Amino acid sequence: MSAIRLLVLGAVRQHGRAHGYQVRNDLEFWGAHEWSHAKPGSIYHALKQMAKQGLMRAHDVAPSTAGGPPRTEYELTAAGEEEYLKLLRDALLRHDQKIDELTAGVGFIVDLPRAEAIALLKERVAALEEWRAEVTRNWSPPQDSPGEWGHIGEIMKFWVHSADSGAEWTRGLIERLEGGAYVMAGEGERPVDVLPDGAPNPYAQSPAPDDAGRGPGC
């Protein structure tokens, strides 16, 4: 899967309708440009590609007062909603995904019902435990000669450590969710972590572009 698809779909979904700079602003506000490939070019490309694929509906709004092209706002289609939830579930379930995919999934976990999120995370723990067992079955250096594997043994140690720490973190999140943390889907109103339109973003990578500085359809 692609973290940028999940991030862009989720950001648009939170607004209902959003233009490219709103999506970029939100993702920078969340720090996604630091831990993923959510850069301006990839964000605008993802919006246009997913519109072509029928996952989003594009709406041209009034042209800018500066004489630029109409600003395009996007909203998820039914297919886009289905794709978003599929990517979100996959991000939380898989034990072998990239860190940006897991991070994006955790960022939108509240969009799932509590019971479903917990069930997915429990499956993730089981997969991590199975993977750890597989690694250790194939890596059993003799007790009397622990250095026999040489520096390759460091790879095995890293894998085991990753499995253990990943499972520990996931169990902690499960415990917090089971204890009632966060407002999950279907549980009532919750704050939406987006910047109001026009609000300054302290984490922005560059000043907000004026209408003339935008690319077509952004």
Side-chain angles (χ1 to χ4, degrees):
M1 66 166 281
S2 167
I4 189 67
R5 285 171 71 89
L6 175 55
L7 287 166
V8 171
L9 285 166
V12 171
R13 187 178 186 268
Q14 290 203 73
H15 282 280
R17 275 174 60 159
H19 54 73
Y21 188 73
Q22 284 176 307
V23 174
R24 173 187 169 185
N25 211 33
D26 286 344
L27 296 185
E28 288 183 348
F29 183 60
W30 303 337
H33 57 291
E34 300 288 352
W35 47 262
S36 77
H37 295 294
K39 310 302 181 187
S42 59
I43 291 169
Y44 295 131
H45 177 74
L47 286 166
K48 293 174 183 177
Q49 283 297 107
M50 288 192 282
K52 290 179 182 178
Q53 294 165 358
L55 302 179
M56 292 190 187
R57 187 175 294 110
H59 304 272
D60 284 342
V61 297
S64 73
T65 56
R71 187 185 288 278
T72 302
E73 290 185 343
Y74 298 87
E75 66 176 333
L76 269 61
T77 61
E81 178 76 8
E82 182 179 345
E83 175 73 0
Y84 168 70
L85 292 174
K86 175 181 177 296
L87 292 174
L88 175 54
R89 290 169 178 133
D90 191 55
L92 296 172
L93 175 63
R94 286 177 45 211
H95 76 282
D96 58 347
Q97 78 278 66
K98 296 177 181 177
I99 191 65
D100 60 341
E101 296 168 5
L102 174 60
T103 305
V106 174
F108 293 120
I109 193 172
V110 294
D111 287 341
L112 293 174
R114 187 176 301 274
E116 182 180 6
I118 291 171
L120 289 170
L121 292 170
K122 286 183 176 179
E123 286 190 58
R124 182 173 189 273
V125 170
L128 283 165
E129 290 173 341
E130 182 178 347
W131 179 55
R132 186 193 193 283
E134 181 66 22
V135 170
T136 53
R137 273 196 297 271
N138 295 316
W139 176 55
S140 52
Q143 292 298 315
D144 58 350
S145 182
E148 184 176 308
W149 281 69
H151 71 282
I152 300 302
E154 299 297 336
I155 297 174
M156 305 299 187
K157 292 174 186 175
F158 173 72
W159 286 351
V160 170
H161 175 78
S162 297
D164 289 343
S165 59
E168 180 183 4
W169 172 84
T170 308
R171 290 189 194 99
L173 179 53
I174 291 170
E175 183 178 351
R176 289 186 288 279
L177 290 174
E178 289 178 334
Y182 318 120
V183 179
M184 306 294 287
E187 296 181 351
E189 294 296 321
R190 65 173 183 263
V192 179
D193 295 322
V194 298
L195 285 170
D197 203 18
N201 182 354
Y203 308 109
Q205 294 300 286
S206 60
D210 59 21
D211 286 336
R214 292 183 288 108
C218 296

